[in-house]
Amino acid sequence: MEAAISINKLSKTYKKTEALKSLSLEIPMGEFFGLLGPNGAGKTTLIKTIVGLARPTSGSILVFGQNIQDYPLKTKAVIGLSPQEQNIDRYFTVRKILEFQGGYFGLRHKERRQKAEELLGKFNLTDKVDEEFWKLSGGMQRRVMIARSLMASPKILILDEPTAGIDVEQRHELWDFLKNLNRDGTTIILTTHYIDEAEYLCERVAIIDAGQIVEMGFPKELIKKHCEQYFLVNGEKKKDLMGLTVDQVQVHQGDLEQVFIKLTGKKLESA
């Protein structure tokens, strides 16, 4: 399968700080990929280098086989980014935010309007179309940012903490939307501090710490590799199962959170 993103020995140094250290990674086309790591691990720096906001110190990044340094416009044109920090004019209306984004990617007025209307409906923002951004709730602002990243129908979508500030019901609605988007062929890269989000959405995850990938694989495989199996009987851990029937025993083997703690020494949601 063709790689959507190929990263080879990527390093990035800010003055004397090594944010990325000879990091290599390949994400196949159509994959839903999770990037997990504590604050300062290098996640944001990696995203910035992929989208061209930071220049690598060494190494290379290919997007669908094209080097981002040699073909910056072509590679940026196929990537949509929803950053963690807001970078929107707070006095723009929702419609203006979306249509301006479409204009940056060369969409004509009619195309911009049609695409904006489509995304407003999908993100339940139609009744807020003429509302200024700063007047929206935190959850709605997050939805606008994600909708904006989809205006150019990108082949690769990068989401940095997309559900921060969104209530549980809206999170689940967004999960379903992203799952369907991925099924339609969009490659998605997700960073999140919610363990349930990573386990539900991502086919593979990479755990990054101190600028390096310390582990990568399918969540179930990582759990099997790094977590010990244990038994629960009426909610209590047991070692001796003598005299118990099968229906009294529940077998457990940890979760992705425990893998993260073992490898980084921190909890994911507090990292």
Side-chain angles (χ1 to χ4, degrees), residues 29-45:
M29 184 171 60
E31 185 170 52
F32 206 129
F33 187 83
L35 189 63
L36 311 178
N39 291 331
K43 302 187 303 297
T44 300
T45 299

Side-chain angles (χ1 to χ4, degrees), residues 4-261:
I5 296 177
S6 297
I7 301 172
N8 185 40
K9 296 182 179 179
L10 183 70
S11 295
K12 176 62 179 176
T13 302
Y14 295 102
K15 295 183 179 180
K16 295 182 179 180
T17 302
E18 286 187 285
L20 298 174
K21 303 173 183 176
S22 194
L23 184 150
S24 295
L25 172 66
E26 186 166 293
I27 301 174
M29 184 171 60
E31 185 170 52
F32 206 129
F33 187 83
L35 189 63
L36 311 178
N39 291 331
K43 302 187 303 297
T44 300
T45 299
L46 178 58
I47 289 172
K48 284 183 176 180
T49 57
I50 293 173
V51 300
L53 293 176
R55 188 177 182 86
T57 303
S58 61
S60 64
I61 301 175
L62 305 182
V63 173
F64 293 110
Q66 295 185 317
N67 193 300
I68 63 169
Q69 298 297 317
D70 298 331
Y71 302 96
L73 294 180
K74 285 185 177 181
T75 54
K76 288 178 184 178
V78 298
I79 299 175
L81 170 65
S82 178
Q84 183 177 358
E85 296 182 358
Q86 295 177 2
N87 58 353
I88 288 176
D89 189 316
R90 64 196 306 265
Y91 296 108
F92 277 14
T93 64
V94 174
R95 183 192 302 279
K96 191 172 184 178
I97 289 167
L98 298 186
E99 293 191 7
F100 260 50
Q101 185 72 6
Y104 294 144
F105 284 86
L107 298 183
R108 295 181 178 180
H109 178 75
K110 184 177 180 180
E111 294 173 315
R112 295 199 301 267
R113 180 59 60 93
Q114 289 177 342
K115 188 64 177 181
E117 292 295 337
E118 174 190 334
L119 291 171
L120 287 166
K122 287 183 177 179
F123 284 89
N124 296 320
L125 291 166
T126 302
D127 60 340
K128 302 293 182 180
V129 65
D130 294 316
E131 199 81 49
E132 291 180 349
F133 184 76
W134 71 273
K135 295 180 181 179
L136 302 176
S137 67
M140 285 187 178
Q141 289 180 349
R142 180 64 58 181
R143 283 148 62 187
V144 171
M145 291 181 67
I146 297 171
R148 182 187 64 166
S149 70
L150 293 168
M151 274 299 294
S153 302
K155 294 181 179 179
I156 299 172
L157 178 63
I158 301 177
L159 302 170
D160 193 2
E161 302 291 343
T163 60
I166 296 181
D167 64 38
V168 174
E169 183 179 353
Q170 291 175 346
R171 282 178 70 206
H172 290 176
E173 289 177 356
L174 180 59
W175 288 359
D176 291 340
F177 175 78
L178 293 176
K179 276 283 192 182
N180 289 331
L181 192 66
N182 179 246
R183 289 191 191 101
D184 290 340
T186 303
T187 304
I188 300 178
I189 301 171
L190 169 78
T191 76
T192 180
H193 281 146
Y194 298 117
I195 194 66
D196 56 339
E197 188 162 88
E199 290 184 329
Y200 179 76
L201 291 174
C202 301
E203 297 170 56
R204 286 191 306 152
V205 297
I207 297 175
I208 182 173
D209 196 20
Q212 298 175 305
I213 292 178
V214 296
E215 186 63 282
M216 181 167 58
F218 299 98
K220 289 183 178 179
E221 291 181 355
L222 296 181
I223 292 168
K224 185 176 181 180
K225 179 179 178 181
H226 293 284
C227 299
E228 292 185 3
Q229 191 178 79
Y230 62 92
F231 305 97
L232 281 180
V233 179
N234 297 324
E236 295 183 6
K237 288 186 178 182
K238 295 287 185 179
K239 293 183 179 179
D240 184 4
L241 301 180
M242 294 294 293
L244 296 172
T245 61
V246 174
D247 61 342
Q248 291 177 291
V249 179
Q250 291 180 308
V251 181
H252 290 266
Q253 196 165 5
D255 55 25
L256 201 54
E257 174 78 16
Q258 290 176 293
V259 176
F260 187 86
I261 292 171

